[in-house]
Amino acid sequence: MRRVLILLMVAAFVSVAQAQTSFSCSCGAHPPGPPPNRTLKPYANAPEDLRPFSKFTTPYYEHYQNLIEYNGAARDLPDGSLNELSEIRIGFLAPLYDHPEQALGKRMLNGAQMAIDEVNAAGGYCGKPFHLVVHNDYDNWQTNSAAAPGVPKDSAIWGSASNDAVRMIYDDKVWAMFGSISAESTHIALRLSLKAETPIVNSASTDPTIPETIIPWYFTDIQDDRVQGYTLARHIYTELGLKRVALLRVNDRYGRFGVMKFRDASRRLGHPVVIEQKFRPGDTDFRRQLRVIQDSRVDAIVIWADIGPTAGILQQMEELGIKVRVFGSHRTIGEELIKLAGPAAEGFEGLYPYDPTRTDPRWLDFVSRYEARFHEKPDHFASLAFDAMQVLLNAICRAGLNRGRIRDALTGITSHKGVTGEMIMDPNCKNIAPMYLGRVHNGVIEYRRITMDKPGATSGATEKMPPNPAPPAAKGATEQTPRPAKPYARVGEEGVQYAGPTINEHSDHRLEIGVFGPLAEQAVSSPEVLAWIRALGPGTETVSLVAIPSRLSWGKASNELVKAVYERHVVAVIALDRPSSHLAEQIAVKSFVPVIALSSDRALTTTNIPWVFRLPDNTPLLQALHILSDAIERAGASRGKIREVLASGEPVAGVRFQSTGEVR
């Protein structure tokens, strides 16, 4: 009997051993291989009227339209051995403590960790769990206090992100990196990924320059600031018909780089940004910036900041009685805005990567699971991190434990449907799907789909991207007629207008004209100029000349000119040569004073500054004085009215100026 029992136990062990040896993990069994080339033209699916120089010329070459190639040896390295691994590590970098954005970083961590835990519950990678190796991306600019009790801070401004990326790759031996929110840290980690040939996946940084580094190891599922800026510009200028827009942004990299594409789009649509104001991170009083914007008589304000400052701005606008349309970037809108700003948020509109109010089962199920675990609703930092981590885990499973092939699996993705909705990946491995516009109405945010395309146009973002470049035309085929060449640029030829604040009249009866140039003293004391002054005769208003020498150090010359404008209140300036004309032009645009420039440099009048009027460099000073004297006689002692007379197109002392400042 005992012998029979022993035989049965041996048979059981043998069957278990056979079952274990026959089990095979499907992860890595069929790696995707290098992705085929694909092209998307134009870059980011930008409409023609929003593309650089599209009104003037066709570029001979455009970057970022083809898939970034990788021809290194990472694919040929041996795969990681499961027998030697207890877990599959993924590096994570985000602001988690000692950082003003730590709340966003923690939500990002929640979404990424939730995706990992759900995949691990389903078996992980061949029974081995995925493990998130977490590193804090603290605020490198604040180095006076410890990051946490007993944890010293790195004193190097750029040291934190680079050191943590190095630790993840070489000490933690991760198979991929995830993060960060900060564009600076993401740029640094991207350089490390190039060196160590390790994929980096992002779900929160919108800096458009990150994928434009042409580093073939990057993947992101959030629409960048180019898509956001172009989309917002289309809505404001084309859909709503607004014309005068101010920018109010935080003075950090997110704000500086975030508004660049909106500024570009505004200029290309014919409405350059009227004024841009900034505030420091952590500021809570925005009244000074708002008053400056209010004086500029704008139709709308675009805010590029986080929800906290946005709420403060909206409340202080209400306090100051500023009633204009207000718009914002993706980090300005959410339920938290309504809680912080209250009724002041009514009518605010902000971009969002997806529609958080939709009712499809997959989204609702994710929201339910997230709320049950973290006791709050997921924002887009959490939701996009969940989606991006799922994409990464799936890529690792398909590719196996080989960083080069993981990169191939990520790069080959052309579209993905996550819990946040449909994503469209361009050849730079970034999501360019159309965004949503959230509008606060009756205390609730209503979302709708919005694109950067002209109304009625079909969005290029839904078109399929060809897997390979188009083949050359067959022999004998008729070639497409090339687009006719256009002038490279037409600048300052369509008229220049002044739409700033009203200029008060000079209160003194003694009017002074500044003469700025290398020999200003000799010029104003020449016999013919002195004779002209005597010929003016007695009157209620006497014109005199102020000589401002420019043959000084550049700083001293500019100081003398500033004193003449702001302290002596000259009603106009005559600049005697090209260098002095350019310096006077910079003062004119700031202080609203008309300038007659005696220079043959047409660049003076192609900057669309409505205060500069150019005469050839051989024009006598006396002729410029006759022109100004005639304008003053008609306009009185107001700089603004003198400018209007000069720009009217009517003869002034026998000379007609265009509104651009050029002689007709």
Side-chain angles (χ1 to χ4, degrees):
M1 183 68 183
R2 183 177 179 182
R3 184 178 180 183
V4 172
L5 182 60
I6 292 172
L7 290 174
L8 289 173
M9 292 175 64
V10 170
F13 280 122
V14 170
S15 64
V16 170
Q18 287 176 342
Q20 287 179 341
T21 55
S22 63
F23 172 76
S24 61
C25 173
S26 62
C27 287
H30 304 287
N37 184 36
R38 66 180 190 272
T39 298
L40 178 64
K41 297 180 180 180
Y43 177 40
N45 265 328
E48 174 124 356
D49 60 345
L50 291 176
R51 296 170 59 196
F53 305 110
S54 62
K55 296 179 181 178
F56 311 120
T57 190
T58 302
Y60 70 90
Y61 181 79
E62 294 186 62
H63 294 275
Y64 316 126
Q65 295 184 335
N66 300 314
L67 191 71
I68 304 172
E69 293 185 21
Y70 170 70
N71 299 309
R75 303 183 187 97
D76 301 326
L77 295 175
D79 289 9
S81 173
L82 272 178
N83 295 329
E84 299 175 2
L85 298 173
S86 60
E87 58 191 12
I88 313 302
R89 295 180 177 179
I90 297 171
F92 182 90
L93 182 66
L96 301 174
Y97 53 85
D98 200 35
H99 197 289
E101 295 178 353
Q102 62 190 35
L104 307 181
K106 288 176 181 176
R107 293 169 192 162
M108 180 177 153
L109 176 60
N110 290 345
Q113 188 64 60
M114 182 172 162
I116 282 186
D117 291 345
E118 291 184 357
V119 170
N120 284 342
Y125 186 99
C126 298
K128 300 293 178 73
F130 288 99
H131 175 65
L132 209 57
V133 183
V134 177
H135 290 258
N136 178 43
D137 183 13
Y138 64 75
D139 187 357
N140 293 306
W141 298 95
Q142 299 175 3
T143 58
N144 294 327
S145 60
V151 180
K153 292 186 70 172
D154 191 334
S155 61
I157 288 177
W158 299 107
S160 172
S162 56
N163 288 344
D164 278 293
V166 168
R167 293 186 192 105
M168 281 191 284
I169 293 170
Y170 294 104
D171 296 342
D172 302 332
K173 301 188 185 311
V174 300
W175 295 99
M177 291 185 290
F178 194 102
S180 174
I181 295 176
S182 160
E184 298 100 318
S185 300
T186 307
H187 263 294
I188 293 169
L190 193 61
R191 266 67 181 173
L192 266 295
S193 75
L194 178 65
K195 172 71 175 176
E197 298 190 314
T198 301
I200 178 169
V201 173
N202 189 277
S203 65
S205 182
T206 55
D207 184 341
T209 67
I210 295 173
E212 292 172 358
T213 53
I214 319 183
I215 292 177
W217 295 92
Y218 184 74
F219 179 97
T220 182
D221 68 344
I222 187 169
Q223 298 94 327
D224 67 11
D225 290 323
R226 172 178 279 99
V227 175
Q228 292 187 48
Y230 288 4
T231 302
L232 205 52
R234 177 68 73 201
H235 173 59
I236 292 172
Y237 299 114
T238 306
E239 186 175 345
L240 298 179
L242 303 177
K243 296 180 180 180
R244 297 178 56 79
V245 176
L247 279 171
L248 182 54
R249 64 166 177 86
V250 62
N251 191 25
D252 60 11
R253 187 182 178 94
Y254 171 66
R256 287 193 303 274
F257 278 72
V259 301
M260 288 171 57
K261 300 306 173 185
F262 179 82
R263 278 203 310 260
D264 291 344
S266 300
R267 186 176 62 253
R268 291 165 194 161
L269 292 178
H271 303 290
V273 169
V274 173
I275 191 169
E276 180 174 336
Q277 290 288 290
K278 57 192 175 185
F279 56 88
R280 293 173 298 181
D283 282 356
T284 57
D285 188 350
F286 314 99
R287 293 175 181 84
R288 182 188 64 80
Q289 294 91 335
L290 289 171
R291 288 190 181 99
V292 172
I293 290 173
Q294 186 177 30
D295 288 342
S296 300
R297 299 184 299 146
V298 299
D299 304 321
I301 300 174
V302 171
I303 301 172
W304 224 273
D306 289 325
I307 282 181
T310 302
I313 290 167
L314 294 174
Q315 289 176 322
Q316 290 169 28
M317 284 181 62
E318 188 174 59
E319 172 191 323
L320 296 172
I322 301 175
K323 300 184 183 300
V324 298
R325 302 286 291 267
V326 190
F327 308 88
S329 62
H330 77 108
R331 287 168 61 166
T332 61
I333 195 163
E335 292 185 2
E336 186 181 354
L337 177 70
I338 299 175
K339 294 177 184 176
L340 295 174
E346 188 69 18
F348 176 79
E349 296 178 76
L351 292 171
Y352 210 72
Y354 56 89
D355 179 5
T357 62
R358 70 188 192 283
T359 57
D360 66 272
R362 189 175 183 188
W363 168 251
L364 294 178
D365 184 50
F366 165 73
V367 172
S368 177
R369 300 195 316 271
Y370 187 93
E371 284 186 297
R373 178 167 177 174
F374 301 110
H375 310 292
E376 65 178 8
K377 289 184 178 181
D379 68 352
H380 60 297
F381 284 93
S383 305
L384 290 172
F386 180 88
D387 272 346
M389 184 58 75
Q390 279 204 326
V391 168
L392 175 58
L393 299 179
N394 181 266
I396 294 174
C397 184
R398 287 189 293 124
L401 298 179
N402 178 284
R403 295 179 180 87
R405 292 204 298 270
I406 294 170
R407 176 261 169 202
D408 289 342
L410 290 169
T411 307
I413 297 173
T414 59
S415 63
H416 174 74
K417 188 165 186 177
V419 297
T420 56
E422 189 73 30
M423 302 176 189
I424 301 168
M425 312 307 297
D426 76 350
N428 300 276
C429 299
K430 58 188 176 69
N431 183 13
I432 59 169
M435 301 192 72
Y436 284 79
L437 185 73
R439 179 175 178 267
V440 181
H441 180 61
N442 293 331
V444 178
I445 304 177
E446 302 171 345
Y447 292 88
R448 67 178 178 89
R449 195 70 173 264
I450 186 171
T451 75
M452 65 178 80
D453 297 300
K454 289 182 179 180
T458 302
S459 174
T462 59
E463 297 176 3
K464 293 184 178 180
M465 291 177 285
N468 293 295
K475 186 176 181 180
T478 303
E479 295 184 359
Q480 186 178 1
T481 304
R483 196 158 116 194
K486 296 182 180 180
Y488 175 71
R490 288 169 54 86
V491 182
E493 298 179 14
E494 306 301 332
V496 182
Q497 302 297 324
Y498 171 71
T502 302
I503 311 299
N504 294 328
E505 290 199 10
H506 199 291
S507 58
D508 193 350
H509 290 299
R510 185 176 180 82
L511 304 183
E512 294 184 321
I513 297 172
V515 178
F516 182 49
L519 299 173
E521 299 96 332
Q522 294 90 322
V524 300
S525 59
S526 67
E528 52 275 14
V529 171
L530 293 176
W532 173 79
I533 294 175
R534 288 193 298 270
L536 292 176
T540 56
E541 293 184 345
T542 303
V543 176
S544 60
L545 305 182
V546 178
I548 312 165
S550 66
R551 280 189 176 173
L552 306 168
S553 64
W554 201 240
K556 189 172 182 181
S558 60
N559 285 343
E560 293 301 316
L561 181 58
V562 167
K563 287 179 182 177
V565 171
Y566 285 98
E567 295 179 10
R568 301 192 63 160
H569 304 289
V570 297
V571 294
V573 173
I574 299 173
L576 300 178
D577 65 355
R578 180 180 177 275
S580 58
S581 296
H582 275 284
L583 183 54
E585 180 180 46
Q586 302 307 310
I587 302 298
V589 72
K590 177 70 175 176
S591 58
F592 307 141
V593 58
V595 173
I596 292 185
L598 308 185
S599 169
S600 295
D601 185 0
R602 287 201 64 189
L604 289 161
T605 57
T606 59
T607 51
N608 289 3
I609 294 175
W611 296 92
V612 180
F613 301 88
R614 190 184 68 83
L615 295 170
D617 56 6
N618 58 355
T619 303
L621 171 61
L622 196 58
Q623 183 176 353
L625 289 171
H626 280 299
I627 293 171
L628 278 179
S629 177
D630 190 1
I632 291 171
E633 186 177 345
R634 301 187 202 180
S638 168
R639 292 173 178 174
K641 291 180 180 178
I642 293 170
R643 189 211 73 84
E644 290 176 5
V645 170
L646 293 174
S648 67
E650 298 296 323
V652 184
V655 176
R656 295 174 183 259
F657 289 102
Q658 303 176 52
S659 66
T660 59
E662 286 292 306
V663 176
R664 288 185 181 273

